[in-house]
Amino acid sequence: MNGPEVLIVGAGPIGIELAVRLRRERISYEQVDAGQIGSTISWYAPQTQFFSSPERIAIAGVPLQTLDQSKATREEYLTYLRSVVLQFDLKVETGVRVNAITRGDDGFVVTAFGRDGERKRTAQNVVLAIGDMHRPHLLGVPGEDLPHVSHFFGDPHAYFRRQVLVVGGRNSAVEAAIRCVRVAAIVTLSYRAAELDPKHVKPWLLPEINAMIRDSRMTFLPGTTLREITPAHVVLDPGGRRIDADSVLLLTGYEQDSSLFESAGVTLVGPQRRPRFNEATMETDVPGLYVAGTAAAGTQVSGTTAFIETSHIHVDRIAAALKGEPAPVETQAYAVPEQ
Ligand SMILES: Cc1cc2nc3c(=O)[nH]c(=O)nc-3n(C[C@H](O)[C@H](O)[C@H](O)COP(=O)(O)OP(=O)(O)OC[C@H]3O[C@@H](n4cnc5c(N)ncnc54)[C@H](O)[C@@H]3O)c2cc1C
């Protein structure tokens, strides 16, 4: 079968780190991404700060410097990813979405859709570095598809002096609520749990939001769930309480699209639908098909455990497996995330 030794699907931080590694090892590869490089990070709200420290999300041995020696922002990290791609002259075919993968006798046939329409490509091995945040977790409430309802927090300016209902109680929701208050929005935060959990909120955000709630700068409604959204208000349970809302932000998490794993015949395990793979090599139960980055976690249903910093080792494992070398030993520093 023709084609490169490896096709990398996805050019997020881990897909890019793997590309640098394969280039250094002189292993032939091609790389495609459905969007732009770093596209998952590109949809963070402007100036969102990573919670991981810069050195833990730096890739390929290239230092990540930030303006104020603090955590990198979305903009700093996207600049960094572009620089890494330029520095190593990586060829990423952007705007190419892989739709199906089938295994033949001596490699893979990959169906991808790009500028030229649908095209079949071949590769001896495939690495899925596709991430785990492909679509929002839908609540399934009436009105969820109305135009003033979004599952993504974009530019806070859009919420200036608007009545905003934010649903959720983890990092994304808490950060959106704080930033909306700071752009003079009238904010209500609805969360199904009884209180905000420090395990799920960046340590520097928790005191900020608690002070805003205490000082009545926003309304916090713990123990509430959304029953319905109308163009002018929402209805919350218990009790059917009505809250006026010009904008509704449903920040309740994201799900992985596991259709590529399914099309290739990878076994999906547990409620996360986590691909089955060998921890030492990252090879799935389809020989020659590997998984890297947060894609290995499936949908992170009960708290996030897979991050950029815990995924660098995937690159070492895949490179070793492709070269037929023993699996690398994981360093303690990155085995668990910093926070
Ligand atoms: C607001 C916010 C803050 C965050 N902060 C942090 C943090 O501090 N630290 C941290 O580690 N993580 C953080 N995350 C999560 C972070 O975005 C992920 O950990 C990181 O992006 C994972 O990198 P990855 O390379 O594994 O996958 P991704 O960055 O998700 O890259 C996957 C790539 O695959 C492409 N792709 C997907 N499907 C296909 C397909 N079928 N065909 C072709 N291409 C495809 C996508 O376009 C994407 O570019 C945060 C997330 C959010 C929303």
Side-chain angles (χ1 to χ4, degrees), residues 10 12-14 33-34 39-40 44 50-52 96 98 129-130 293-294 307-308:
I14 299 303
D33 195 292
S39 47
T40 302
Y44 298 4
F50 280 75
F51 50 81
S52 309
V96 177
V98 172
I130 56 173
T294 53
F307 301 94
I308 297 167

Side-chain angles (χ1 to χ4, degrees), residues 36-59:
Q36 184 48 273
I37 68 155
S39 47
T40 302
I41 288 138
S42 69
W43 59 253
Y44 298 4
Q47 301 297 333
T48 300
Q49 271 191 312
F50 280 75
F51 50 81
S52 309
S53 292
E55 58 277 12
R56 301 181 76 88
I57 55 173
I59 56 172

Side-chain angles (χ1 to χ4, degrees), residues 257-278:
D257 175 357
S258 43
S259 58
L260 278 188
F261 292 111
E262 282 168 326
S263 84
V266 176
T267 307
L268 299 173
V269 187
Q272 301 96 319
R273 294 173 59 72
R274 184 178 190 257
R276 177 168 286 154
F277 63 93
N278 178 340

Side-chain angles (χ1 to χ4, degrees), residues 51-309:
F51 50 81
S52 309
S53 292
E55 58 277 12
R56 301 181 76 88
I57 55 173
I59 56 172
V62 179
L64 166 59
Q65 288 282 299
T66 60
L67 278 177
D68 58 357
Q69 299 74 51
S70 177
K71 316 268 184 191
T73 61
R74 164 194 181 274
E75 285 71 15
E76 284 172 326
Y77 198 62
L78 288 175
T79 304
Y80 170 78
L81 291 182
R82 292 196 299 272
S83 303
V84 172
V85 168
L86 289 171
Q87 178 177 341
F88 293 96
D89 193 24
L90 305 178
K91 309 289 182 235
V92 186
E93 294 177 61
T94 53
V96 177
R97 175 174 294 281
V98 172
N99 293 325
I101 300 172
T102 47
R103 178 156 175 82
D105 289 340
D106 57 347
F108 291 91
V109 177
V110 172
T111 310
F113 194 87
R115 204 173 45 187
D116 311 329
E118 194 170 280
R119 193 185 132 197
K120 296 220 184 295
R121 325 165 69 106
T122 54
Q124 291 158 46
N125 301 280
V126 174
V127 181
L128 292 181
I130 56 173
D132 65 342
M133 299 170 76
H134 298 125
R135 56 182 176 229
H137 172 68
L138 299 181
L139 298 181
V141 294
E144 191 166 5
D145 54 354
L146 286 169
H148 68 305
V149 180
S150 177
H151 297 84
F152 300 90
F153 179 52
D155 188 341
H157 178 71
Y159 305 102
F160 174 63
R161 285 200 161 166
R162 291 178 71 87
Q163 287 190 291
V164 183
L165 179 93
V166 181
V167 176
R170 296 183 175 205
N171 276 322
S172 301
V174 167
E175 189 152 6
I178 291 173
R179 292 182 71 173
C180 283
V181 167
R182 295 237 164 85
V183 294
I186 300 158
V187 178
T188 303
L189 177 64
S190 162
Y191 186 34
R192 63 184 175 175
E195 55 188 21
L196 297 170
D197 184 342
K199 281 204 300 290
H200 299 305
V201 182
K202 294 173 189 171
W204 62 91
L205 293 180
L206 203 56
E208 280 185 64
I209 194 151
N210 282 337
M212 283 179 170
I213 294 166
R214 183 197 62 206
D215 299 343
S216 304
R217 296 178 64 200
M218 74 165 75
T219 306
F220 180 45
L221 300 177
T224 58
T225 55
L226 200 54
R227 183 193 296 179
E228 183 189 359
I229 308 169
T230 77
H233 65 267
V234 301
V235 182
L236 296 177
D237 281 322
R241 181 170 176 178
R242 262 173 73 139
I243 310 272
D244 290 343
D246 306 308
S247 300
V248 178
L249 282 168
L250 304 180
L251 302 176
T252 51
Y254 301 92
E255 295 174 358
Q256 183 179 65
D257 175 357
S258 43
S259 58
L260 278 188
F261 292 111
E262 282 168 326
S263 84
V266 176
T267 307
L268 299 173
V269 187
Q272 301 96 319
R273 294 173 59 72
R274 184 178 190 257
R276 177 168 286 154
F277 63 93
N278 178 340
E279 293 277 353
T281 61
M282 304 308 290
E283 189 173 25
T284 66
D285 58 358
V286 173
L289 182 66
Y290 296 80
V291 61
T294 53
T299 293
Q300 304 201 47
V301 280
S302 48
T304 312
T305 54
F307 301 94
I308 297 167
E309 59 197 286

